[in-house]
Amino acid sequence: MLVFVTIFSNFTGSNLLKKRVLSPRAIIIIGGTVGIGGCYLSSLTTNFTIFRILFPLTFGFMVGFTYMVHLYLAWQYIPGQEGILSGIVNAGFGAGGFIFTFLSTQLLNPDSINPTYVEGSKPFPSEIAGRLPKML
């Protein structure tokens, strides 16, 4: 679901930007508000099914809707350097995921406790599972 929402909102956001229906600032504000609000609301849910629906919809919308703004503005204001600019923007996008992987591991599982797979039980102790909503 995350992939489909991201692709759809990417086309929507880039078309609104290209046709000047919304300004880049408005696209960032709308996408950020939906994404951050959805992450916050999904952290408050106690039902995993609602979480699995709410989080991918809002986070995927944010990523897709705002992704092309940075590339479009870089290409517009620095013509002739589209390749290097695309590389820098995408490297920053990937570096965020790389850095936050280590940060989230330290927040959730600072003692590096390995999961245990026993029939009918959860893979991590409740102390680790209890930190997940606080991290979101």
Side-chain angles (χ1 to χ4, degrees):
M1 178 168 29
L2 178 68
V3 173
F4 295 116
V5 171
T6 304
I7 291 170
F8 175 74
S9 60
N10 191 330
F11 285 123
T12 305
S14 60
N15 282 331
L16 291 174
L17 180 65
K18 194 176 358 178
K19 294 177 181 176
R20 302 272 187 206
V21 175
L22 291 174
S23 69
R25 180 175 292 159
I27 290 174
I28 296 289
I29 289 171
I30 292 168
T33 302
V34 169
I36 292 170
C39 286
Y40 178 71
L41 289 175
S42 62
S43 72
L44 298 176
T45 62
T46 56
N47 186 337
F48 188 63
T49 304
I50 294 173
F51 177 83
R52 286 188 343 199
I53 294 169
L54 186 62
F55 184 77
L57 282 176
T58 57
F59 188 73
F61 176 81
M62 176 188 68
V63 170
F65 199 67
T66 60
Y67 181 74
M68 285 304 292
V69 172
H70 309 94
L71 290 172
Y72 181 78
L73 292 176
W75 296 338
Q76 185 179 8
Y77 289 109
I78 308 173
Q81 301 292 323
E82 289 85 2
I84 190 72
L85 294 171
S86 298
I88 291 170
V89 169
N90 287 322
F93 189 72
F98 179 76
I99 291 167
F100 279 101
T101 297
F102 294 109
L103 179 64
S104 63
T105 300
Q106 287 302 311
L107 290 172
L108 282 175
N109 192 0
D111 300 325
S112 297
I113 298 172
N114 290 326
T116 56
Y117 299 102
V118 178
E119 186 72 29
S121 69
K122 296 182 179 179
F124 286 102
S126 60
E127 64 185 26
I128 294 174
R131 294 182 190 132
L132 181 62
K134 294 175 186 171
M135 188 184 77
L136 288 175

